Amino acid sequence: MLYADYNGSAPVSNCVKELLMKKLDQCEYANPNAAHSIGQNLYMEQENCRMTCAKLLGAKSSQIIFNSGSTEGISHIFNSLLLDAKENGKSSLMISSIEHPAVVNNAEYYCQLFGMELITVQTKSNGEIDLEDFKNKLNPNMAMVSIMAANNETGVIQPYCEIGKLCREANVPFLCDTTQLIGKTSFNFNESNIDYAVLSSHKVGGLIGSGLILCQDANNLRPFIIGGNQERSLRGGTQNYIGIASFACALESSIKKLEQLEELKKERINFEKTLKEKFPSLVIFGEDAPRLASTSFLSLPGTSGQKIQAKLEKHGILVTTSSACCDQKTSISRILENMNVSEEQGAGAIRISIGHSNPKEDYAKIYSALCDIYQSL
Ligand SMILES: Cc1ncc(COP(=O)(O)O)c(C=O)c1O
């Protein structure tokens, strides 16, 4: 099988597989908060992982809160910032029109709960958020801004450093959903102007159910899961130390292999170019915008993305029609709708997202399968 759904979930890295085998072999299972020697060893290991992640992400260890992944991180930050904002009489919050459902649904939930106004920044037809619209709408009475760093469907990279700078000038906290960006391009938290960022381990080759929050100052966060004193009492519950160790190892491996991803980018550009030459009506969403190295979201108008997906699977190639969590829906993707893409173009959309472990020949295989499929329609 040729797996081309890295944006949905990346395969577990080889280094993680080795680590897990070693851990299972060692039989060192304990609560990392226990005072006995195994517990203390695991705690030390966990704190070393925190340091590794911090270094890789351009942050300090004290700026990392381990949790179960991006959805939890996003919910935590919304909860904390919106409770603060309610007390401080703030009346609105702003998100973009291409956010992941974790952001959209939290924003809608808290706006309804606290009677706040939800303001949405428009997206340009190339998938980038409209900065002029953002500047016009941003105001100091906002509880928070939540805008992603890279879109999960199009792979379009947003100008998050600039957004962060504008938020700081307006004194509005900025949550940036970095789930799709980290591990796929370089990133430095303390140079990014972001106040809060989130990440899921399974997007970089770690295990599902593990993730982290990066925060400028953890003292500004309220606790989200109330329990023991783990994670500075901000996120109670026994730490998932195997998940954390796998996360640190996968993150390190994916960041070390960023150069390989850049090599793959050349293949992706060539793949898109040759496919367009063969099928001139083919549309590449976000074509002229800065994009993740290995994401292609494309459509041959008049086709059905779901049918193409099923046919590709028969060729042994696994893709999605939009994001994995919306893949079963028959309507066109909300992201494409908000980029003003027509029904005809949107209906044919398929997302191809690969990673550094794919050999570069994979693009040639996808090209050949797509040519066969499109020509047979
Ligand atoms: C941009 C983005 N944000 C948030 C999430 C949620 O991540 P998780 O399901 O790991 O909590 C995803 C997952 O696809 C994503 O792509």
Side-chain angles (χ1 to χ4, degrees):
M1 277 287 176
L2 192 169
Y3 185 77
D5 184 24
Y6 271 66
N7 289 10
S9 193
V12 172
S13 297
N14 286 337
C15 67
V16 172
K17 286 184 203 158
E18 282 162 23
L19 178 102
L20 292 175
M21 295 306 286
K22 201 169 120 201
K23 291 256 159 237
L24 293 172
D25 229 30
Q26 277 171 346
C27 283
E28 283 210 332
Y29 312 113
N31 189 317
N33 308 296
H36 51 65
S37 58
I38 302 184
Q40 288 299 292
N41 284 347
L42 293 175
Y43 186 81
M44 290 292 287
E45 203 182 308
Q46 173 188 289
E47 293 313 302
N48 283 339
C49 292
R50 196 185 304 276
M51 276 195 275
T52 303
C53 291
K55 204 165 165 213
L56 291 165
L57 298 171
K60 296 186 204 136
S61 292
S62 59
Q63 292 177 310
I64 288 185
I65 299 159
F66 286 121
N67 62 15
S68 71
S70 294
T71 301
E72 183 187 322
I74 290 164
S75 301
H76 188 160
I77 295 153
F78 266 89
N79 180 274
S80 180
L81 293 180
L82 271 293
L83 285 170
D84 287 351
K86 178 75 185 151
E87 280 179 11
N88 299 333
K90 305 273 174 172
S91 58
S92 63
L93 66 97
M94 180 150 65
I95 65 171
S96 83
S97 63
I98 51 166
E99 294 303 304
H100 187 272
V103 166
V104 178
N105 292 336
N106 266 289
E108 285 177 354
Y109 174 82
Y110 285 103
C111 280
Q112 201 174 21
L113 191 67
F114 294 151
M116 288 186 187
E117 186 191 0
L118 178 55
I119 297 171
T120 306
V121 187
Q122 298 312 307
T123 308
K124 297 190 287 186
S125 58
N126 69 355
E128 280 181 297
I129 73 137
D130 185 336
L131 259 186
E132 284 313 303
D133 189 45
F134 174 79
K135 285 181 200 163
N136 290 336
K137 288 174 175 166
L138 182 67
N139 74 70
N141 205 28
M142 280 181 172
M144 67 183 288
V145 160
S146 182
I147 294 182
M148 65 192 348
N151 184 266
N152 41 309
E153 295 188 9
T154 59
V156 171
I157 300 173
Q158 306 299 330
Y160 58 89
C161 292
E162 202 170 342
I163 293 169
K165 187 167 172 274
L166 292 164
C167 285
R168 291 224 168 135
E169 282 162 13
N171 205 17
V172 176
F174 174 38
L175 159 61
C176 185
D177 178 356
T178 49
T179 311
Q180 294 291 347
L181 183 101
I182 292 176
K184 295 176 186 156
T185 186
S186 55
F187 175 77
N188 185 305
F189 181 61
N190 282 331
E191 288 173 6
S192 68
N193 303 321
I194 296 172
D195 295 316
Y196 303 94
V198 292
L199 182 54
S200 278
S201 175
H202 71 106
K203 302 288 184 188
V204 296
L207 300 178
I208 289 178
S210 177
L212 60 78
I213 290 177
L214 286 165
C215 49
Q216 282 304 332
D217 186 351
N219 295 321
N220 291 339
L221 266 185
R222 294 178 187 240
F224 188 52
I225 297 183
I226 319 284
N229 296 330
Q230 298 90 348
E231 299 304 295
R232 307 166 64 128
S233 301
L234 295 172
R235 202 266 180 188
T238 306
Q239 297 93 332
N240 175 4
Y241 62 86
I242 293 191
I244 291 170
S246 306
F247 190 5
C249 150
L251 188 62
E252 185 158 36
S253 163
S254 61
I255 289 177
K256 269 191 192 150
K257 290 177 179 160
L258 281 179
E259 255 174 49
Q260 268 165 259
L261 214 51
E262 279 306 304
E263 282 299 305
L264 266 184
K265 184 173 171 181
K266 292 183 198 148
E267 301 297 321
R268 187 209 81 209
I269 291 169
N270 188 44
F271 157 75
E272 290 176 351
K273 183 171 159 278
T274 45
L275 202 62
K276 263 192 107 168
E277 277 162 11
K278 187 132 183 111
F279 303 97
S281 62
L282 189 94
V283 185
I284 316 275
F285 302 114
E287 188 173 15
D288 71 350
R291 248 187 308 150
L292 296 176
S294 53
T295 301
S296 290
F297 196 29
L298 51 86
S299 165
L300 188 66
T303 62
S304 148
Q306 283 173 335
K307 288 196 180 136
I308 308 292
Q309 177 192 25
K311 284 175 189 285
L312 277 171
E313 184 144 6
K314 289 200 176 123
H315 281 74
I317 298 170
L318 301 182
V319 301
T320 56
T321 53
S322 56
S323 57
C325 54
C326 304
D327 204 30
Q328 314 283 338
K329 293 188 184 156
T330 46
S331 55
I332 84 161
S333 125
R334 174 179 53 86
I335 308 302
L336 293 181
E337 244 173 24
N338 288 329
M339 287 163 61
N340 275 326
V341 167
S342 70
E343 282 269 338
E344 206 203 4
Q345 288 183 354
I350 53 162
R351 180 184 69 178
I352 299 158
S353 58
I354 65 173
H356 49 69
S357 60
N358 287 78
K360 57 184 190 181
E361 296 75 41
D362 278 359
Y363 273 121
K365 288 186 189 156
I366 302 171
Y367 172 80
S368 149
L370 271 179
C371 286
D372 278 359
I373 295 166
Y374 286 151
Q375 274 163 344
S376 70
L377 296 174

mmCIF file of all heavy atoms in Angstrom, residues 7 69-71 74 100 148 152 177 179-180 200 202-203, ligand 1:
data_model
loop_
_atom_site.group_PDB
_atom_site.id
_atom_site.type_symbol
_atom_site.label_atom_id
_atom_site.label_comp_id
_atom_site.label_asym_id
_atom_site.label_seq_id
_atom_site.Cartn_x
_atom_site.Cartn_y
_atom_site.Cartn_z
ATOM 1 N N ASN A 7 -1.440 13.855 6.528
ATOM 2 C CA ASN A 7 -2.081 14.955 7.256
ATOM 3 C C ASN A 7 -3.184 14.429 8.172
ATOM 4 O O ASN A 7 -3.547 15.071 9.151
ATOM 5 C CB ASN A 7 -2.639 16.001 6.289
ATOM 6 C CG ASN A 7 -1.532 16.795 5.607
ATOM 7 O OD1 ASN A 7 -0.368 16.445 5.725
ATOM 8 N ND2 ASN A 7 -1.892 17.847 4.893
ATOM 9 N N GLY A 69 -3.319 15.696 22.980
ATOM 10 C CA GLY A 69 -3.275 16.083 21.571
ATOM 11 C C GLY A 69 -3.885 17.455 21.314
ATOM 12 O O GLY A 69 -4.308 18.160 22.245
ATOM 13 N N SER A 70 -3.950 17.811 20.048
ATOM 14 C CA SER A 70 -4.357 19.177 19.676
ATOM 15 C C SER A 70 -5.783 19.523 20.084
ATOM 16 O O SER A 70 -6.058 20.649 20.507
ATOM 17 C CB SER A 70 -4.212 19.370 18.169
ATOM 18 O OG SER A 70 -2.860 19.313 17.821
ATOM 19 N N THR A 71 -6.701 18.573 19.948
ATOM 20 C CA THR A 71 -8.093 18.903 20.294
ATOM 21 C C THR A 71 -8.168 19.280 21.771
ATOM 22 O O THR A 71 -8.822 20.276 22.131
ATOM 23 C CB THR A 71 -9.022 17.703 19.991
ATOM 24 O OG1 THR A 71 -8.904 17.408 18.599
ATOM 25 C CG2 THR A 71 -10.466 18.011 20.323
ATOM 26 N N ILE A 74 -6.483 22.747 22.232
ATOM 27 C CA ILE A 74 -7.336 23.849 21.760
ATOM 28 C C ILE A 74 -8.460 24.089 22.781
ATOM 29 O O ILE A 74 -8.743 25.236 23.165
ATOM 30 C CB ILE A 74 -7.899 23.514 20.356
ATOM 31 C CG1 ILE A 74 -6.766 23.549 19.322
ATOM 32 C CG2 ILE A 74 -9.033 24.459 19.961
ATOM 33 C CD1 ILE A 74 -7.083 22.879 17.986
ATOM 34 N N HIS A 100 -9.814 24.188 11.718
ATOM 35 C CA HIS A 100 -10.218 22.797 11.994
ATOM 36 C C HIS A 100 -11.474 22.830 12.877
ATOM 37 O O HIS A 100 -11.656 23.770 13.669
ATOM 38 C CB HIS A 100 -9.066 22.096 12.729
ATOM 39 C CG HIS A 100 -9.271 20.635 12.931
ATOM 40 N ND1 HIS A 100 -9.922 20.132 14.035
ATOM 41 C CD2 HIS A 100 -8.915 19.568 12.178
ATOM 42 C CE1 HIS A 100 -9.958 18.808 13.940
ATOM 43 N NE2 HIS A 100 -9.350 18.441 12.834
ATOM 44 N N MET A 148 -4.908 29.193 12.349
ATOM 45 C CA MET A 148 -3.975 28.073 12.183
ATOM 46 C C MET A 148 -2.696 28.489 11.455
ATOM 47 O O MET A 148 -2.680 29.484 10.725
ATOM 48 C CB MET A 148 -4.664 26.934 11.441
ATOM 49 C CG MET A 148 -5.043 27.285 10.058
ATOM 50 S SD MET A 148 -6.175 26.126 9.190
ATOM 51 C CE MET A 148 -6.287 24.675 10.125
ATOM 52 N N ASN A 152 -4.939 21.932 7.075
ATOM 53 C CA ASN A 152 -4.857 20.478 6.951
ATOM 54 C C ASN A 152 -5.284 19.956 5.578
ATOM 55 O O ASN A 152 -4.845 18.891 5.165
ATOM 56 C CB ASN A 152 -5.681 19.803 8.057
ATOM 57 C CG ASN A 152 -7.004 20.482 8.315
ATOM 58 O OD1 ASN A 152 -7.059 21.696 8.502
ATOM 59 N ND2 ASN A 152 -8.074 19.730 8.309
ATOM 60 N N ASP A 177 -3.011 27.182 15.809
ATOM 61 C CA ASP A 177 -3.085 25.725 15.674
ATOM 62 C C ASP A 177 -1.950 25.292 14.740
ATOM 63 O O ASP A 177 -2.041 25.414 13.525
ATOM 64 C CB ASP A 177 -4.464 25.358 15.115
ATOM 65 C CG ASP A 177 -4.615 23.861 14.882
ATOM 66 O OD1 ASP A 177 -3.646 23.121 15.084
ATOM 67 O OD2 ASP A 177 -5.728 23.455 14.487
ATOM 68 N N THR A 179 -0.764 22.265 14.434
ATOM 69 C CA THR A 179 -0.808 20.800 14.283
ATOM 70 C C THR A 179 -0.198 20.319 12.963
ATOM 71 O O THR A 179 0.494 19.312 12.927
ATOM 72 C CB THR A 179 -2.276 20.316 14.356
ATOM 73 O OG1 THR A 179 -2.883 20.911 15.486
ATOM 74 C CG2 THR A 179 -2.371 18.808 14.458
ATOM 75 N N GLN A 180 -0.491 21.027 11.882
ATOM 76 C CA GLN A 180 -0.018 20.547 10.577
ATOM 77 C C GLN A 180 1.331 21.125 10.176
ATOM 78 O O GLN A 180 1.957 20.633 9.243
ATOM 79 C CB GLN A 180 -1.049 20.878 9.477
ATOM 80 C CG GLN A 180 -2.359 20.139 9.626
ATOM 81 C CD GLN A 180 -2.240 18.638 9.356
ATOM 82 O OE1 GLN A 180 -1.240 18.151 8.824
ATOM 83 N NE2 GLN A 180 -3.256 17.880 9.739
ATOM 84 N N SER A 200 -0.156 17.537 17.980
ATOM 85 C CA SER A 200 -0.508 16.138 18.240
ATOM 86 C C SER A 200 0.639 15.261 17.780
ATOM 87 O O SER A 200 1.108 15.383 16.641
ATOM 88 C CB SER A 200 -1.743 15.735 17.423
ATOM 89 O OG SER A 200 -2.916 16.138 18.066
ATOM 90 N N HIS A 202 0.732 12.175 16.831
ATOM 91 C CA HIS A 202 0.529 11.273 15.683
ATOM 92 C C HIS A 202 0.685 11.963 14.331
ATOM 93 O O HIS A 202 0.756 11.306 13.300
ATOM 94 C CB HIS A 202 -0.833 10.556 15.780
ATOM 95 C CG HIS A 202 -2.031 11.421 15.545
ATOM 96 N ND1 HIS A 202 -2.774 11.365 14.392
ATOM 97 C CD2 HIS A 202 -2.628 12.362 16.320
ATOM 98 C CE1 HIS A 202 -3.786 12.221 14.474
ATOM 99 N NE2 HIS A 202 -3.720 12.835 15.626
ATOM 100 N N LYS A 203 0.747 13.290 14.335
ATOM 101 C CA LYS A 203 0.960 13.993 13.060
ATOM 102 C C LYS A 203 2.438 14.003 12.676
ATOM 103 O O LYS A 203 2.790 14.362 11.564
ATOM 104 C CB LYS A 203 0.459 15.442 13.141
ATOM 105 C CG LYS A 203 -1.000 15.594 13.506
ATOM 106 C CD LYS A 203 -1.940 15.177 12.400
ATOM 107 C CE LYS A 203 -3.381 15.457 12.796
ATOM 108 N NZ LYS A 203 -4.358 14.917 11.877
HETATM 109 C C1 LIG B 1 -5.192 21.514 11.824
HETATM 110 C C2 LIG B 1 -5.629 20.503 12.830
HETATM 111 N N1 LIG B 1 -5.966 20.910 14.062
HETATM 112 C C3 LIG B 1 -6.372 20.050 15.011
HETATM 113 C C4 LIG B 1 -6.458 18.711 14.747
HETATM 114 C C5 LIG B 1 -6.927 17.782 15.832
HETATM 115 O O1 LIG B 1 -5.912 16.884 16.171
HETATM 116 P P1 LIG B 1 -6.254 15.603 17.073
HETATM 117 O O2 LIG B 1 -7.347 14.875 16.367
HETATM 118 O O3 LIG B 1 -4.969 14.843 17.100
HETATM 119 O O4 LIG B 1 -6.663 16.096 18.408
HETATM 120 C C6 LIG B 1 -6.137 18.235 13.465
HETATM 121 C C7 LIG B 1 -6.265 16.803 13.128
HETATM 122 O O5 LIG B 1 -6.455 16.425 12.006
HETATM 123 C C8 LIG B 1 -5.694 19.155 12.489
HETATM 124 O O6 LIG B 1 -5.364 18.767 11.259
#
